[in-house]
Amino acid sequence: QSFITIRDNTNAVPYPSPVFVSGIAGGVINKVTVTLLGLTHASPMHIDALLVGPDGKNVMLLSDAGYVYPVNNINLTFDDTGSPLPQYGPITSGTWAPTDYTRIDVTNDDVFPPPAPAGPFGSALSAFNGLNPNGTWNLYVMDDTYGNAGSIFSGWILTLSTVDFVDPNADLSVTVTG
């Protein structure tokens, strides 16, 4: 998906931003990463980003991080192996863990307008492990406070790794001759 407009104090456009996955036969997910390309916002703590898989499972990627330190055209990769984003410090390009902070000064903290699901939201991308990767994946982005807007200039990338398990009842043998 390409350009996403993060409007002030409302949902982004498009909302959601979909990616359709098809043709992955026989495997199940063993790793998910998401990259936001060209994130720009004057106050990143206003941004909430939620990934929802084809079966409805979801993970909050970004919520209330970065305080009021502007971001300009940065790339954020969300991977369970990363560290959490800073809550009160500047955000830089890199690999980060999904990060969800709670703000007590916002009454609608982590409440996404429909058609996004209601919370509670998952906190680790491993929540998708073992699931079928095929179907529509949705990224819901919103700005939850008045005062600033932004964009995800080059959209987002969903990266899925799958494994194919061998049937434990299968009759399998290997012979090697040197």
Side-chain angles (χ1 to χ4, degrees), residues 62-148:
L62 170 65
S63 178
D64 305 318
Y67 197 49
V68 294
Y69 296 97
V71 292
N72 186 24
N73 200 32
I74 65 169
N75 298 329
L76 300 180
T77 297
F78 294 94
D79 185 322
D80 287 343
T81 63
S83 297
L85 288 158
Q87 184 173 12
Y88 295 111
I91 297 173
T92 59
S93 290
T95 299
W96 301 93
T99 306
D100 182 6
Y101 295 111
T102 300
R103 287 183 47 207
I104 58 173
D105 63 325
V106 176
T107 58
N108 63 342
D109 190 52
D110 297 350
V111 176
F112 287 80
F121 303 116
S123 60
L125 291 163
S126 61
F128 298 111
N129 289 359
L131 301 176
N132 181 342
N134 295 299
T136 302
W137 292 77
N138 287 303
L139 180 67
Y140 292 89
V141 178
M142 61 175 257
D143 180 304
D144 66 7
T145 308
Y146 283 108
N148 296 293

Side-chain angles (χ1 to χ4, degrees), residues 6 10 17-18 21 32 34-35 37-39 60 64 85 94 101 111 113 127 139-140 145 147 155 158 163 169 174:
I6 303 172
T10 190
S17 176
V21 175
V32 173
V34 175
T35 303
L37 299 168
L39 177 64
M60 182 69 77
D64 305 318
L85 288 158
Y101 295 111
V111 176
L139 180 67
Y140 292 89
T145 308
L158 174 69
V163 292
N169 299 317
V174 176

